[in-house]
Coordinates of all heavy atoms in Angstrom, one line a residue:
L127 N 6.6 1.1 -5.8 CA 6.0 0.2 -4.8 C 4.5 0.4 -4.9 O 4.0 1.5 -4.7 CB 6.5 0.5 -3.4 CG 5.9 -0.2 -2.3 CD1 6.2 -1.7 -2.4 CD2 6.4 0.3 -1.0
S128 N 3.8 -0.7 -5.1 CA 2.3 -0.6 -5.1 C 1.6 -1.2 -3.9 O 0.8 -0.6 -3.3 CB 1.7 -1.2 -6.3 OG 2.0 -2.6 -6.3
H129 N 2.1 -2.4 -3.4 CA 1.4 -3.1 -2.3 C 2.4 -3.9 -1.5 O 3.5 -4.3 -2.1 CB 0.3 -4.1 -2.9 CG -0.9 -3.4 -3.4 ND1 -0.9 -2.9 -4.7 CD2 -2.1 -3.2 -2.9 CE1 -2.1 -2.3 -4.9 NE2 -2.8 -2.5 -3.9
I130 N 2.1 -4.2 -0.3 CA 2.8 -5.1 0.5 C 1.8 -6.1 1.1 O 0.6 -5.8 1.2 CB 3.6 -4.4 1.6 CG1 2.7 -3.6 2.6 CG2 4.7 -3.6 1.1 CD1 3.5 -3.1 3.8
L131 N 2.3 -7.3 1.5 CA 1.5 -8.3 2.0 C 2.2 -9.0 3.1 O 3.4 -9.4 2.9 CB 1.1 -9.3 0.9 CG 0.3 -10.6 1.3 CD1 -1.1 -10.2 1.8 CD2 0.2 -11.5 0.2
E132 N 1.6 -9.2 4.3 CA 2.2 -9.9 5.4 C 1.9 -11.4 5.2 O 0.8 -11.8 5.2 CB 1.7 -9.4 6.7 CG 2.4 -10.1 7.9 CD 1.9 -9.6 9.2 OE1 0.7 -9.4 9.4 OE2 2.8 -9.4 10.1
I133 N 3.0 -12.2 5.0 CA 2.8 -13.7 4.9 C 2.8 -14.3 6.3 O 2.0 -15.1 6.6 CB 4.0 -14.3 4.0 CG1 4.0 -13.6 2.7 CG2 3.8 -15.8 3.9 CD1 2.7 -13.8 1.8
T134 N 3.8 -14.0 7.1 CA 3.9 -14.4 8.5 C 4.3 -13.1 9.3 O 4.7 -12.1 8.6 CB 4.9 -15.5 8.7 OG1 6.2 -15.0 8.4 CG2 4.6 -16.7 7.8
P135 N 4.4 -13.2 10.6 CA 4.9 -12.0 11.3 C 6.3 -11.6 11.0 O 6.7 -10.5 11.2 CB 4.8 -12.4 12.8 CG 3.6 -13.4 12.8 CD 3.8 -14.1 11.5
N136 N 7.1 -12.5 10.4 CA 8.4 -12.2 10.0 C 8.7 -12.2 8.5 O 9.8 -12.3 8.1 CB 9.4 -13.2 10.7 CG 9.4 -12.9 12.2 OD1 9.4 -11.8 12.7 ND2 9.3 -14.1 12.9
K137 N 7.6 -12.2 7.7 CA 7.8 -12.2 6.2 C 6.8 -11.3 5.5 O 5.6 -11.5 5.6 CB 7.7 -13.7 5.8 CG 8.0 -13.9 4.3 CD 7.9 -15.3 3.9 CE 8.4 -15.6 2.5 NZ 8.3 -17.0 2.2
L138 N 7.3 -10.4 4.8 CA 6.5 -9.4 4.0 C 6.9 -9.6 2.6 O 8.0 -9.8 2.2 CB 6.8 -8.0 4.4 CG 6.5 -7.5 5.8 CD1 6.9 -6.0 5.9 CD2 5.0 -7.7 6.1
Y139 N 5.9 -9.5 1.7 CA 6.1 -9.4 0.2 C 5.8 -8.0 -0.2 O 4.9 -7.3 0.4 CB 5.2 -10.3 -0.5 CG 5.6 -11.8 -0.6 CD1 4.7 -12.8 -0.9 CD2 6.9 -12.2 -0.4 CE1 5.0 -14.1 -0.9 CE2 7.3 -13.5 -0.4 CZ 6.3 -14.5 -0.7 OH 6.7 -15.8 -0.8
A140 N 6.5 -7.5 -1.2 CA 6.2 -6.2 -1.9 C 6.2 -6.4 -3.4 O 6.9 -7.2 -3.9 CB 7.4 -5.2 -1.5
G141 N 5.2 -5.8 -4.0 CA 5.1 -5.8 -5.4 C 5.6 -4.5 -6.0 O 5.2 -3.4 -5.6
V142 N 6.7 -4.6 -6.8 CA 7.4 -3.4 -7.4 C 7.5 -3.6 -8.9 O 7.4 -4.7 -9.4 CB 8.8 -3.2 -6.7 CG1 8.7 -3.0 -5.2 CG2 9.7 -4.4 -7.1
N143 N 7.7 -2.4 -9.5 CA 8.1 -2.5 -10.9 C 9.4 -1.6 -11.1 O 9.6 -0.7 -10.3 CB 7.0 -2.0 -11.9 CG 6.8 -0.5 -11.8 OD1 6.9 0.1 -10.7 ND2 6.4 0.1 -12.8
V144 N 10.2 -2.0 -12.0 CA 11.5 -1.4 -12.3 C 11.3 -0.3 -13.3 O 10.7 -0.5 -14.3 CB 12.5 -2.4 -12.7 CG1 13.9 -1.7 -13.0 CG2 12.7 -3.5 -11.7
N145 N 11.9 0.9 -13.0 CA 11.7 2.1 -13.8 C 12.7 2.2 -14.9 O 13.3 3.2 -15.1 CB 11.7 3.4 -12.9 CG 11.3 4.6 -13.7 OD1 10.6 4.5 -14.7 ND2 11.8 5.7 -13.3
Q146 N 13.0 1.1 -15.5 CA 14.0 1.1 -16.6 C 13.5 0.0 -17.6 O 13.0 -1.0 -17.2 CB 15.4 0.8 -16.2 CG 15.9 1.9 -15.3 CD 17.4 1.6 -14.9 OE1 18.1 0.9 -15.6 NE2 17.8 2.2 -13.9
P147 N 13.6 0.3 -18.9 CA 13.2 -0.7 -19.9 C 13.9 -2.1 -19.6 O 15.0 -2.1 -19.2 CB 13.7 -0.2 -21.2 CG 13.8 1.3 -21.0 CD 14.2 1.4 -19.5

Side-chain angles (χ1 to χ4, degrees):
L127 174 65
S128 65
H129 289 81
I130 60 171
L131 175 66
E132 183 177 43
I133 302 299
T134 67
N136 295 316
K137 187 176 185 180
L138 297 178
Y139 280 160
V142 300
N143 71 326
V144 179
N145 187 26
Q146 295 185 20

